[in-house]
Amino acid sequence: MISLLSFILKLISSTRNYLYDNNFFKIKSINIPIISVGNLELGGTGKTPTVLFLAKFLSKNNYNPGIVSRGYKRSSSGQQLVTDGKKIFLSVKEAGDEPFLLAQNLKNIPIVVNKDRFFASNYLKSKFNVNIILLDDAFQHRNIKRDIDILLINTNTPIKNLNLFPSGVLRENFNNYRRASVLLLCDKIKSNEPINNFYKKIRFKNKFSCYFVFDLYCTKTFSYLKPKEIKENVFAFCGIGNPNSFFKTLQELNIKSNILKAFKDHQKYNRKVVDNIIDTITKNNIYYVITTEKDYIKLPKFFTAQFRIIILKLALETNVNFENYIIKKLNSL
């Protein structure tokens, strides 16, 4: 049954790509540069911190970016303005996890959620002083022309998992990476270990390496902690696409957690779920609670004010070659 479902997904994906590649489906264009950030995997590969990095990078280089996201699993419908760059108009439930997180971390950058990226991009272009659009999670959204198509490749993903869901972790065939204009080979954490030869041997003109850096922010003390400072009882939980990545990161940071809890992706923290978390904390005499930034923004205030919560913040750290490529490409348009 699993193999059959994977075959059906492959057939649908291949047919759809064929129709786009051969102009049966129209690709619409907007007269300002478009940068898309996406991946091939169902789980997270760091799209949000990559969009965050690019938005700040472009702003520093005299561009006025706007961001378009689908707003996956948001409670609102249709097109919604998350922020005009000054004020956030939606709650995290209404906006979706990723757009709300971006809105909290960026200034002077408008963010819109809409399934129709083309309509949303035109809206940003006409209503705000934007001269470049960032499309969040849009590698599979092919009906809008992009000038730079960035594909994130998680080099920590085992090769055996590079099959279509549900047999593996892919949304579409891995060979479709050739459709991108840029490959970012992402290592979860900076290390001296070599990249898996499979990923290293991928032949691609514009291929760059990057990694993620992590900070531990304590919301109780409003300060950053070093991993060695976290010695007391720890309860770690998350509701993200790849929870094992979160737990493995804690392990690599030498943070020993007494209890680990993985919720479903985009978990909603209603009263019942939060009460269960509180019960776990109380029964196990937990001192620190560690979670992701995406999870933290959805936790109710009565909970976050009560406990010592540490947010595992991550940021993309790339190299000057990637940055130079982006600027050079934009200058050529």
Side-chain angles (χ1 to χ4, degrees), residues 88-309:
I88 299 176
F89 300 105
L90 304 181
S91 67
V92 63
K93 289 182 180 179
E94 294 167 327
D97 304 354
E98 290 85 358
F100 188 84
L101 184 59
L102 288 167
Q104 280 198 327
N105 284 276
L106 293 170
K107 293 181 179 179
N108 302 316
I109 295 176
I111 301 173
V112 169
V113 287
N114 193 340
K115 286 184 180 179
D116 188 337
R117 266 86 159 184
F118 181 78
F119 187 90
S121 297
N122 268 322
Y123 170 80
L124 285 177
K125 178 186 171 186
S126 62
K127 297 294 183 181
F128 296 91
N129 186 32
V130 303
N131 55 16
I132 189 167
I133 301 287
L134 288 169
L135 302 180
D136 178 31
D137 194 11
F139 189 68
Q140 286 77 30
H141 192 88
R142 298 193 59 187
N143 75 337
I144 181 169
K145 182 181 178 296
R146 62 284 315 271
D147 299 281
I148 302 177
D149 207 353
I150 300 172
L151 182 67
L152 305 181
I153 301 289
N154 181 6
T155 59
N156 295 286
T157 300
I159 310 307
K160 64 180 181 180
N161 292 347
L162 296 181
N163 298 306
L164 267 70
F165 179 83
S167 297
V169 299
L170 299 182
R171 306 179 185 190
E172 57 178 309
N173 194 296
F174 186 81
N175 287 336
N176 287 330
Y177 73 81
R178 298 187 182 98
R179 196 168 74 238
S181 52
V182 179
L183 292 188
L184 268 186
L185 301 186
C186 302
D187 197 348
K188 185 172 57 62
I189 193 167
K190 187 176 183 180
S191 68
N192 294 321
E193 294 181 13
I195 294 176
N196 187 302
N197 273 336
F198 173 82
Y199 298 107
K200 196 174 182 180
K201 289 180 178 178
I202 293 175
R203 286 190 168 187
F204 202 85
K205 182 180 179 181
N206 301 309
K207 184 175 73 171
F208 307 97
S209 295
C210 66
Y211 61 91
F212 295 103
V213 292
F214 296 89
D215 284 315
L216 297 161
Y217 181 77
C218 182
T219 60
K220 199 75 170 178
T221 60
F222 304 104
S223 62
Y224 288 92
L225 300 177
K226 295 179 180 179
K228 63 181 180 181
E229 296 178 71
I230 305 171
K231 298 176 182 178
E232 293 85 354
N233 292 346
V234 174
F235 171 36
F237 71 87
C238 66
I240 58 176
N242 187 0
N244 289 332
S245 175
F246 170 65
F247 298 136
K248 190 175 180 182
T249 298
L250 296 180
Q251 185 181 9
E252 290 173 347
L253 292 172
N254 293 316
I255 296 174
K256 295 180 180 179
S257 180
N258 300 61
I259 304 172
L260 305 174
K261 174 67 177 177
F263 293 101
K264 64 182 180 181
D265 192 16
H266 294 274
Q267 175 69 48
K268 295 179 180 179
Y269 291 99
N270 56 35
R271 186 75 200 215
K272 182 179 178 181
V273 173
V274 173
D275 282 346
N276 286 334
I277 292 174
I278 293 173
D279 188 55
T280 300
I281 294 170
T282 305
K283 285 182 178 178
N284 295 277
N285 195 28
I286 296 298
Y287 190 84
Y288 280 124
V289 178
I290 301 183
T291 192
T292 72
E293 196 168 10
K294 282 186 183 180
D295 289 288
Y296 179 78
I297 60 175
K298 293 183 290 182
L299 292 168
K301 288 184 179 179
F302 77 86
F303 175 80
T304 57
Q306 188 176 355
F307 300 101
R308 295 179 187 85
I309 299 176

